Amino acid sequence: MRLLHTSDWHIGRQLHGVSLIEDQAHVLDQIVEIAITESADAVIIAGDIYDRAVPPAEAVKLLSKTLHRLCRDHDKQVILIAGNHDSGERLGFSADLLGSSGLHIFGPLQAEMSSVTLEKDGTAVDVFGLPYAGPLTVRHVLGAEVATHEQAMSALLDEVHKACVKDRPTVVVSHCFVDGSAECDSE
């Protein structure tokens, strides 16, 4: 199974008051081409799809065009999760209906963990999407007693562990705050 992992598209971003939408369209064209030439079975977009919670219309149009090309024109599965720049509620609109088209959206954090099962050549892989969720959100949605990002992520991963199918490969996609990691030469 080949997964193309991307994140932080920030569609609709401006630089010194100048729209970057044409540059972003060019880069998204390249991502579609990479998905095709590398025979990706799924494209993962791990948060910060848009640059702000209420994106400009041209950003929504560009995302729609890109997702249409991936899902409809090239039959790719797309797994998309909300980041801290996105509105999970807006991004997740009609997510339950879009899954049958190959577009799997994890908008706002849900109390019950769910996954997308990708299958290829008789092998199944479960992909859990964890949209950005700070400690307050995790406390509210899961009822977990957490005060830090680390505790919030730990509580979320505990829920994934409870929900995952044993003896089946599992991928967890998250948009989260990470601190204290070690860098290597390729980073």
Side-chain angles (χ1 to χ4, degrees):
M1 174 112 19
R2 294 182 70 110
L3 305 176
L4 175 59
H5 176 274
T6 70
S7 69
D8 296 273
W9 289 8
H10 288 275
I11 304 173
R13 186 175 204 136
Q14 294 189 354
L15 182 62
H16 300 292
V18 177
S19 173
L20 299 176
I21 203 78
E22 288 181 23
D23 298 300
Q24 291 172 323
H26 178 71
V27 170
L28 295 180
D29 284 343
Q30 291 176 327
I31 289 173
V32 171
E33 289 306 312
I34 291 168
I36 296 164
T37 60
E38 296 296 325
S39 302
D41 297 299
V43 176
I44 295 172
I45 313 167
D48 285 354
I49 313 315
Y50 295 120
D51 194 52
R52 56 183 188 257
V54 182
E58 62 187 358
V60 175
K61 185 177 177 181
L62 177 56
L63 178 63
S64 179
K65 176 185 169 191
T66 303
L67 294 174
H68 188 277
R69 288 179 62 205
L70 287 166
C71 295
R72 291 294 184 145
D73 296 347
H74 300 289
D75 201 29
K76 304 295 180 191
Q77 298 292 307
V78 174
I79 298 169
L80 182 151
I81 68 169
N84 57 305
H85 282 247
D86 302 306
S87 164
E89 288 76 15
R90 285 187 175 89
L91 204 57
F93 172 77
S94 295
D96 54 337
L97 297 172
L98 295 170
S100 62
S101 297
L103 176 59
H104 309 281
I105 301 172
F106 293 88
L109 181 65
Q110 302 295 314
E112 187 174 318
M113 291 293 155
S114 64
S115 64
V116 173
T117 302
L118 302 174
E119 295 186 43
K120 181 179 181 179
D121 301 330
T123 300
V125 175
D126 290 332
V127 180
F128 285 85
L130 298 179
Y132 179 80
L136 179 63
T137 301
V138 172
R139 277 196 309 271
H140 176 72
V141 174
L142 298 184
E145 292 299 320
V146 299
T148 67
H149 284 275
E150 182 178 358
Q151 291 170 340
M153 183 53 68
S154 181
L156 290 169
L157 291 175
D158 285 347
E159 293 301 312
V160 168
H161 185 42
K162 290 178 197 172
C164 70
V165 176
K166 305 305 179 225
D167 300 324
R168 184 183 294 168
T170 301
V171 174
V172 177
V173 178
S174 181
H175 189 90
C176 58
F177 177 78
V178 176
D179 188 27
S181 61
E183 294 182 17
C184 65
D185 291 340
S186 68
E187 296 297 316

